[in-house]
Amino acid sequence: MSDRETLSVYTEAAALYADGHADTRDIEQQNDIAALLADVPEGGHILDLGCGPGQWAVQFRDLGYRVTARDATPAMAELALEKYGLKVEVQTFDAFDDIARFHAIWANFSLLHAPKADFPGHLARLHRALTPNGALHLGMKLGTGEARDSLGRFYSYYQEDELVQLVTEAGFTVTRTRRGNGEGLAGGVETFVILTATARTDG
């Protein structure tokens, strides 16, 4: 993510987001974690891409996995360090250049801030960053087109079949999907989709 207005919103609302919208008690999200970890070896290396204040990265860490946490917002990195002792690498999506480094990538409602034109390139980078048969968790909002919310954050919206096609074309096999509804930082309730996928070795 490199959109300045979106980054500014998260910078200003970092503490509020961490306190009210980074709740790890959601049962369905715990099931999403279990689905991802089913394909990750014990002690494997997991990337939390767009980790926010670190609530998911610290769960992976506490379960015994090696964790790399990244976010584009320095204020989120500071919160993660303060709250969890978690060191976060401050990096935008387009600076992502790892090769076969991670057993799994947790991209939980982070890539939805990337322009649609850039999305295939981001998926290709995620595929390159995974070890063979590595696992991907992807959370995105359902809809069409691109827009800013009432806070000024940039979003790209997808239909579920459109998202599955893009992920498949990037070299992944989608193994699980689920839909849900949730209230975000802007206050509105929106529908989202979660995809779990495996990186094909021929992709």
Side-chain angles (χ1 to χ4, degrees):
M1 177 175 62
S2 58
D3 180 73
R4 291 184 179 181
E5 190 171 353
T6 303
L7 290 173
S8 177
V9 171
Y10 281 118
T11 297
E12 294 177 4
L16 175 64
Y17 181 85
D19 290 340
H21 297 278
D23 191 344
T24 61
R25 293 172 294 179
D26 185 291
I27 297 301
E28 289 300 329
Q29 285 268 257
Q30 297 302 321
N31 291 338
D32 297 335
I33 288 177
L36 183 77
L37 296 182
D39 292 320
V40 180
E42 184 176 350
H45 193 177
I46 299 174
L47 170 66
D48 188 345
L49 182 65
C51 66
Q55 75 275 17
W56 303 113
V58 75
Q59 281 203 51
F60 295 127
R61 183 192 69 184
D62 291 350
L63 288 169
Y65 295 93
R66 288 182 292 141
V67 175
T68 294
R70 291 180 182 160
D71 199 89
T73 310
M76 291 292 188
E78 292 171 7
L79 276 173
L81 183 61
E82 177 183 336
K83 189 170 184 178
Y84 301 117
L86 183 70
K87 294 183 179 179
V88 174
E89 300 173 5
V90 177
Q91 185 186 82
T92 58
F93 298 145
D94 50 10
F96 189 90
D97 60 358
D98 302 273
I99 304 295
R101 183 181 177 191
F102 305 108
H103 296 98
I105 296 174
W106 176 265
N108 196 55
F109 303 105
S110 53
L111 284 171
L112 43 65
H113 293 304
K116 300 190 82 164
D118 296 342
F119 192 59
H122 292 318
L123 289 175
R125 281 189 283 274
L126 295 186
H127 191 279
R128 288 196 296 269
L130 285 166
T131 57
N133 301 311
L136 172 67
H137 164 99
L138 182 65
M140 305 288 283
K141 292 185 179 182
L142 290 177
T144 58
E146 299 173 335
R148 292 190 183 274
D149 68 5
S150 60
L151 299 177
R153 293 177 298 174
F154 176 88
Y155 282 97
S156 291
Y157 297 92
Y158 295 86
Q159 294 297 310
E160 183 174 333
D161 57 352
E162 176 189 14
L163 197 58
V164 169
Q165 181 177 346
L166 287 166
V167 170
T168 301
E169 290 174 352
F172 293 91
T173 298
V174 176
T175 58
R176 174 180 178 267
T177 65
R178 78 168 178 91
R179 293 190 183 196
N181 297 288
E183 182 178 346
L185 187 62
V189 176
E190 296 181 274
T191 303
F192 61 82
V193 63
I194 300 290
L195 272 64
T196 307
T198 302
R200 300 193 307 271
T201 56
D202 63 344

